[in-house]
Amino acid sequence: MKTSLLGTKTITQIGILVHDIEKTGQAYAEFFGVEKPQIIVTDAPDIARTEYRGERSEARAKLAFFDMGSLQLELIEPDRNPSTWREHLDKYGEGPHHIAFVVDGMKEKISLMEGRGMPLLQKGEYTGGRYAYLDSSRELKVIIELLENDR
């Protein structure tokens, strides 16, 4: 049996870029018949330490999370600062941005993915962990997000 590159085959999250998180969040809430989730804003730059394409970025985004059993749907409304979110939204419009996996050993996983021609696009911290977006779109047709949570 083959082993997964990431050590998991479980997709944890699907991220969708939107222009208006309030409106789209309400539409999803009505579609699923659930309460509209609280909209949060990503951590301030000094906490998030966001890097986009190797450079520090002040990028922030509004987020809304729908927990749908084993899968989380994340709506993302980015600000205007340089980020994978802003670039992708400007280039392709609203819609799917990434699929995410929870991993252990973030640095090793990033190196492994980069060695397979999937460069790091953006990384940062959040309360309780860190994330990294890798440009796997050439091979997998979607961006991969790695999430590593503190224990």
Side-chain angles (χ1 to χ4, degrees):
M1 181 183 216
K2 291 188 174 198
T3 54
S4 162
L5 274 177
L6 299 177
T8 180
K9 296 182 203 107
T10 304
I11 297 173
T12 302
Q13 180 189 83
I14 297 173
I16 299 174
L17 291 167
V18 301
H19 289 297
D20 184 341
I21 200 164
E22 294 284 348
K23 182 178 168 189
T24 307
Q26 187 61 44
Y28 268 102
E30 290 173 11
F31 179 79
F32 290 130
V34 298
E35 291 291 316
K36 187 172 95 172
Q38 178 182 352
I39 293 168
I40 63 168
V41 178
T42 56
D43 286 326
D46 59 323
I47 296 169
R49 299 199 312 260
T50 302
E51 289 183 22
Y52 173 62
R53 298 190 181 276
E55 302 286 327
R56 289 283 295 207
S57 175
E58 301 286 304
R60 296 183 80 182
K62 293 179 185 175
L63 308 175
F65 298 96
F66 288 88
D67 290 315
M68 311 302 296
S70 64
L71 188 69
Q72 185 180 68
L73 185 67
E74 177 186 30
L75 302 182
I76 308 161
E77 180 188 321
D79 67 11
R80 291 271 162 206
N81 289 303
S83 69
T84 182
W85 310 306
R86 174 49 51 201
E87 179 182 286
H88 201 277
L89 187 58
D90 289 348
K91 192 171 183 179
Y92 302 108
E94 296 178 294
H97 175 256
H98 68 266
I99 59 175
F101 300 86
V102 174
V103 300
D104 289 318
M106 176 72 81
K107 286 180 181 163
E108 296 80 13
K109 297 296 192 277
I110 290 171
S111 293
L112 183 66
M113 299 291 282
E114 286 187 315
R116 295 185 60 100
M118 299 177 192
L120 178 65
L121 286 173
Q122 181 173 317
K123 68 178 181 173
E125 306 284 322
Y126 56 85
T127 303
R130 65 216 44 83
Y131 73 90
Y133 291 107
L134 294 132
D135 188 359
S136 53
S137 55
R138 193 180 80 235
E139 193 172 340
L140 302 178
K141 312 308 177 205
V142 68
I143 291 171
I144 296 291
E145 181 183 27
L146 305 180
L147 300 165
E148 183 177 51
N149 298 311
D150 296 333
R151 303 221 175 266

